[in-house]
Amino acid sequence: MIELRSTLAGRVTLAVLSTLILLFLALPIVVIVVTSFGKDAFGSFPPEAWTLGWYKQLFADGSKWPAALSLSALVAAMTTVFSLILGMTAATALVRSELPLRSAVYGLVLAPLVIPQVVIALGLFLLFEPAAMLGSPIAIALGHTVLASPIAVMILMATLKGIDERLEDAAASMGASRLTVWRRVTLPLAMPGMVAAGIFSFITSFDEFFISQFLSSVDTVTLPVQVFNVLQYNVDPSVTAVSAILIAVAVVALALVGVARKLSGSGKQDGLLPTEPGLGLSAGSETAS
């Protein structure tokens, strides 16, 4: 294979293009964060004066933002639990067992990621409306789980493929039951992946709008729905403060994922998300071959 030599001009061009692309992607985020500290009631950029008034307004007496924030956090927490249970179960079945039609099952699991969210939201509305569950935080969390669990499955599948199956076989050969093997061997080794899957599930639920809009009621309004309701009739500068908080939550969550992977040493593993359940061999099978 011919190795292409890098030149100074090529490295400079690559650095400039990479910087421009990163700036283009980050520019809307920077504008929102900077505008949230502006004193202008119309949210102009760049601000002529600076203030923290919009952040104080979020938690003023009579504000609806704290209730929406707490509901989104509650729903996201429940979604995280549901997604981890479903994700670990599905990932174990797809990686550790000889599941018939595994590729078809894997495609079905990932289907919510390619189906328009408004279609999923409408289907969930028709499902929960006869059961009188509209507005229930549990119903909203179950709806969010439909979108969050495929992400958890992909992350946990990659995690399970990186675990040497010989460790599980050794524990089983010494008389450990399947539950003991999973609790004492598989679960501790898969914990970094579960942390990452949980954080991504939380972010997915916390930012979800369509399903929340269809399943919410007057008394149960999540943060993204509240943002939509406010912007639907007027321009409220406090929305920029809420958006900055959402950005901060996402940045902190992604930082926690990086820290968890670094502390566990899993950051050295190649790849994060599998594309096919049958691709790649486990560590034990690679050695055996």
Side-chain angles (χ1 to χ4, degrees), residues 2-137:
I2 300 177
E3 181 179 356
L4 299 178
R5 296 181 179 179
S6 60
T7 61
L8 178 60
R11 291 195 297 269
V12 171
T13 302
L14 180 61
V16 171
L17 290 178
S18 301
T19 303
L20 290 177
I21 292 174
L22 291 176
L23 290 176
F24 174 76
L25 295 176
L27 186 59
I29 298 176
V30 174
V31 170
I32 287 293
V33 173
V34 172
T35 305
S36 67
F37 295 99
K39 198 171 184 179
D40 191 351
F42 296 98
S44 61
F45 181 84
E48 298 180 358
W50 306 91
T51 181
L52 294 175
W54 308 124
Y55 289 90
K56 297 178 181 179
Q57 184 176 330
L58 296 180
F59 303 98
D61 294 338
S63 175
K64 296 182 179 180
W65 294 110
L69 179 61
S70 59
L71 178 62
S72 290
L74 174 62
V75 170
M78 291 191 293
T79 300
T80 301
V81 175
F82 297 156
S83 298
L84 287 178
I85 294 174
L86 293 177
M88 194 63 182
T89 304
T92 302
L94 290 169
V95 175
R96 290 289 189 261
S97 65
E98 297 296 332
L99 192 66
L101 302 175
R102 183 163 51 178
S103 296
V105 174
Y106 185 67
L108 182 62
V109 170
L110 300 187
L113 297 179
V114 297
I115 297 176
Q117 293 185 12
V118 66
V119 176
I120 299 176
L122 178 59
L124 291 170
F125 173 82
L126 297 176
L127 175 65
F128 289 123
E129 195 276 334
M133 293 183 64
L134 295 182
S136 170

Side-chain angles (χ1 to χ4, degrees), residues 22-272:
L22 291 176
L23 290 176
F24 174 76
L25 295 176
L27 186 59
I29 298 176
V30 174
V31 170
I32 287 293
V33 173
V34 172
T35 305
S36 67
F37 295 99
K39 198 171 184 179
D40 191 351
F42 296 98
S44 61
F45 181 84
E48 298 180 358
W50 306 91
T51 181
L52 294 175
W54 308 124
Y55 289 90
K56 297 178 181 179
Q57 184 176 330
L58 296 180
F59 303 98
D61 294 338
S63 175
K64 296 182 179 180
W65 294 110
L69 179 61
S70 59
L71 178 62
S72 290
L74 174 62
V75 170
M78 291 191 293
T79 300
T80 301
V81 175
F82 297 156
S83 298
L84 287 178
I85 294 174
L86 293 177
M88 194 63 182
T89 304
T92 302
L94 290 169
V95 175
R96 290 289 189 261
S97 65
E98 297 296 332
L99 192 66
L101 302 175
R102 183 163 51 178
S103 296
V105 174
Y106 185 67
L108 182 62
V109 170
L110 300 187
L113 297 179
V114 297
I115 297 176
Q117 293 185 12
V118 66
V119 176
I120 299 176
L122 178 59
L124 291 170
F125 173 82
L126 297 176
L127 175 65
F128 289 123
E129 195 276 334
M133 293 183 64
L134 295 182
S136 170
I138 296 179
I140 300 175
L142 290 174
H144 289 181
T145 303
V146 175
L147 296 180
S149 56
I151 301 175
V153 169
M154 290 191 293
I155 296 176
L156 291 172
M157 283 182 61
T159 301
L160 291 178
K161 287 183 178 181
I163 297 176
D164 194 338
E165 292 187 41
R166 293 175 299 177
L167 299 174
E168 300 172 347
D169 295 338
S173 66
M174 298 178 67
S177 63
R178 290 187 177 182
L179 180 60
T180 302
V181 171
W182 184 84
R183 181 172 58 87
R184 300 292 298 272
V185 179
T186 307
L187 183 61
L189 293 175
M191 189 55 63
M194 295 190 67
V195 172
I199 292 176
F200 277 106
S201 298
F202 188 93
I203 295 175
T204 301
S205 173
F206 200 78
D207 295 338
E208 216 295 314
F209 168 73
F210 287 104
I211 292 178
S212 301
Q213 175 76 346
F214 274 77
L215 300 183
S216 63
S217 64
V218 178
D219 299 326
T220 54
V221 177
T222 61
L223 196 60
V225 175
Q226 180 65 20
V227 171
F228 175 79
N229 292 339
V230 171
L231 292 179
Q232 190 173 11
Y233 301 105
N234 58 1
V235 178
D236 189 346
S238 60
V239 172
T240 59
V242 175
S243 302
I245 292 176
L246 292 175
I247 293 171
V249 170
V251 171
V252 171
L254 293 176
L256 290 176
V257 172
V259 171
R261 290 176 59 82
K262 186 175 182 179
L263 292 177
S264 65
S266 60
K268 299 179 181 180
Q269 294 177 356
D270 294 332
L272 175 64

